[in-house]
Amino acid sequence: MNAQLQSTATTSIPDPLVIAGRPFRSRLLTGTGKFKDLDETRRATDAAGSEIVTFAVRRMNLGQNPGEPNLLDALPPEHFTLLPNTAGCHSAEEALRTCRLARELLDGHSLVKLEVIGDQKTLFPDVIKTLEAAEVLVKDGFDVMVYTTDDPLLAKRFEEIGCAAVMPLAAPIGSGLGIQNRYTILEIVENAKIPVIVDAGVGTASDAALAMELGCDGVLMNTAIAHAKDPVLMAHAMKCAIEAGRAAFRAGRIPRRRYASASSPIDGMIA
Amino acid sequence: MRIYLNGQSRQCAAETSVAVLLAETGYAGRRVAVEVNREIVPRSRHAQHTLHEDDHVEIVHAIGGG
């Protein structure tokens, strides 16, 4: 990690999220898929306060309205950290090709979200291929934020090969089920030296707050916001949840106990 | 000559550059990335890089995703 940037981060931004040496104020990372249009995408992104936004790389639809605004006009790279994903890639080679195109698209920007899906029903990652792809991408100079299952040993392995962040799923992509195994997430958090970002499966604000209370460094979500009845309001709710969850984690919660503990003093009663 | 643009066959003049192809397709000055035969052609080389018969050209852009 870049020591100079790290020190800048700690002086100018309170409690920053630092990824690959870059400090961020917001711990909520948002996707840009499934929104009604680019205007809603931008308004929800602003309401979420997210600084890191994911997107996909695809072929142009030739001949179809070349003058239409595209995603990078709505979310300019000058104002947001654009995080290209490798959605749809099934091998290390495809992921590398996609990331190289994204790097060209973003003028050399090297932060990428690696995902290699292994099953269409659950959209669970193929972790063997993900590991292969991560090694190739790291060698090619990319800062790899890797989408993976909530496996503590695997998370450690991604850290060892040089990934910039590990992003375990809470539940299947788009399922809205929330964190299904808080103990594995906790185990990953307690052992990680790189940021842990819960990615996928969040349904509502309390899911995001729980991830942060467990000590996760951030949460990445898309469907929970984009498919809410009011995406912009849900984006705001998620922002509040992330901030509340983070503050609660830093404040240190009380231990759980089975019986009551009176809040008012017992001494000095009048009767 | 014939090239393959985003998987589709297309006719263009011999020695067409990537920059000219982008202009012809309406993507000049747009936020796109170009690959020819699986190699990135950096923006700075769009004008110099000329295409050849049967080249496979990909023009990609950013779209919404999670």
Side-chain angles (χ1 to χ4, degrees), chain A residues 15-26:
Chain A
D15 186 34
L17 166 64
V18 180
I19 296 177
R22 295 187 53 191
F24 297 94
R25 206 175 293 272
S26 173

Side-chain angles (χ1 to χ4, degrees), chain A residues 32 59 68 85 97 107, chain B residues 30 35 43 58 61 65-66:
Chain A
T32 57
R59 281 174 166 172
E68 255 183 21
N85 69 29
R97 189 180 175 195
D107 299 317
Chain B
R30 307 287 296 163
E35 193 187 59
R43 200 157 298 145
E58 296 284 346
H61 67 147

Side-chain angles (χ1 to χ4, degrees), chain A residues 24 53 142 219 244 264:
Chain A
F24 297 94
V53 291
F142 287 100
V219 178
S264 305

Side-chain angles (χ1 to χ4, degrees), chain A residues 17-147:
Chain A
L17 166 64
V18 180
I19 296 177
R22 295 187 53 191
F24 297 94
R25 206 175 293 272
S26 173
R27 291 173 179 273
L28 174 54
L29 295 73
T30 52
T32 57
K34 299 180 174 176
F35 286 97
K36 190 177 66 187
D37 53 31
L38 285 176
D39 178 61
E40 187 182 74
T41 309
R42 176 59 194 253
R43 286 185 296 118
T45 305
D46 285 342
S50 45
E51 296 165 286
I52 302 176
V53 291
T54 60
F55 71 96
V57 177
R58 291 291 180 273
R59 281 174 166 172
M60 301 288 306
N61 277 329
L62 293 167
Q64 287 185 9
N65 312 317
E68 255 183 21
N70 74 18
L71 186 72
L72 298 186
D73 297 321
L75 299 171
E78 297 78 34
H79 298 116
F80 295 90
T81 296
L82 273 296
L83 182 64
N85 69 29
T86 62
C89 295
H90 293 98
S91 67
E93 190 190 19
E94 287 174 12
L96 181 63
R97 189 180 175 195
T98 300
C99 289
R100 282 179 171 167
L101 280 164
R103 184 160 58 186
E104 163 65 12
L105 197 56
L106 300 174
D107 299 317
H109 168 82
S110 60
L111 196 65
V112 295
K113 169 181 165 174
L114 173 64
E115 59 176 291
V116 184
I117 301 299
D119 175 60
Q120 283 312 306
K121 187 175 166 193
T122 59
L123 295 180
F124 280 149
D126 182 325
V127 294
I128 310 285
K129 287 182 180 168
T130 306
L131 202 53
E132 290 169 4
E135 284 177 331
V136 169
L137 289 172
V138 168
K139 274 192 196 126
D140 207 65
F142 287 100
D143 296 313
V144 179
M145 300 176 69
V146 58
Y147 169 66

